[in-house]
Amino acid sequence: GSEMCIRDRGETARKDSEIHQLRNVQLQQEIEERKKAQAALELLATQDGLTGISNRRHVLELGSRAFEQAQRYRRPLTAIMLDIDHFKAVNDTYGHKSGDMVLQRIASLLSQNIRAQDVLARYGGEEFIIAIPDIGADGAVALAERLRKSVNALEQIYEGQSIKVTASFGVACGAIGPG
């Protein structure tokens, strides 16, 4: 009888161990799912849903860090802001879907023409901002002019119609010293 009891206890211990392992696997899966959900939420909080670039909140957050770094190391920091001219007319004439396509194309064009350390964001409806560390006034104005020409040359075809837009640019820069 005692041999049977020991075998039963061994069998029970093995089953308990298997149940424990299964629970651990389940917990690991739950943790991974929560990590993925957290990452997705963080992306939603920092990324513009339409264009896939940073949103206003994110660029302000990153911009304040860039400002602190520029101040600490006494390096220039530049911001270029652009606004698509008469954008409401695009939406009114061709519809919002066409306007969305134009915004996506411009975001793509801008992101392809800046450096990895520059931060591009959609600031408002048809406004974009680029935070550019370590570039002074001359370099920033030259970049803004190149970007302006690229945007002006852009042509979006929508349902057989050619849509062209222009944009107005503003540049703010300075060497930042101690406050």
Side-chain angles (χ1 to χ4, degrees):
S2 67
E3 189 179 303
M4 184 70 155
C5 189
I6 292 169
R7 201 171 343 131
D8 286 348
R9 267 192 251 136
E11 186 69 21
T12 301
R14 190 179 59 73
K15 284 181 181 173
D16 285 350
S17 174
E18 284 177 11
I19 289 169
H20 213 63
Q21 282 181 315
L22 285 172
R23 281 193 184 134
N24 280 343
V25 168
Q26 274 181 316
L27 286 171
Q28 285 294 352
Q29 286 173 337
E30 246 182 76
I31 290 168
E32 288 306 311
E33 284 173 27
R34 285 183 185 193
K35 282 182 183 175
K36 284 179 189 170
Q38 180 68 31
L41 283 172
E42 285 172 16
L43 194 62
L44 282 174
T46 59
Q47 190 179 65
D48 176 58
L50 177 67
T51 60
I53 61 176
S54 292
N55 62 19
R56 178 185 184 138
R57 178 176 161 233
H58 195 225
V59 79
L60 291 175
E61 192 178 293
L62 294 174
S64 75
R65 273 190 246 149
F67 182 81
E68 287 167 14
Q69 274 193 325
Q71 213 169 19
R72 185 178 315 126
Y73 300 111
R74 298 179 185 201
R75 306 288 303 163
L77 179 64
T78 302
I80 296 175
M81 188 148 197
L82 67 123
D83 190 313
I84 302 168
D85 302 323
H86 314 292
F87 187 71
K88 186 179 180 313
V90 172
N91 284 332
D92 291 348
T93 306
Y94 305 102
H96 286 277
K97 189 174 179 193
S98 69
D100 288 351
M101 290 172 75
V102 167
L103 292 171
Q104 289 166 335
R105 284 282 304 279
I106 289 175
S108 176
L109 175 97
L110 295 172
S111 62
Q112 289 168 19
N113 286 284
I114 59 173
R115 305 168 307 172
Q117 67 264 37
D118 301 336
V119 180
L120 168 66
R122 184 169 171 206
Y123 196 74
E126 70 276 2
E127 300 163 328
F128 294 87
I129 190 166
I130 308 164
I132 308 164
D134 298 324
I135 290 208
D138 292 344
V141 169
L143 173 62
E145 183 58 19
R146 279 195 314 275
L147 293 173
R148 188 189 65 77
K149 286 179 179 175
S150 295
V151 169
N152 289 356
L154 192 69
E155 181 181 17
Q156 176 67 50
I157 304 297
Y158 179 74
E159 294 184 353
Q161 304 254 15
S162 169
I163 303 170
K164 293 181 80 50
V165 295
T166 58
S168 299
F169 285 72
V171 177
C173 56
I176 299 171

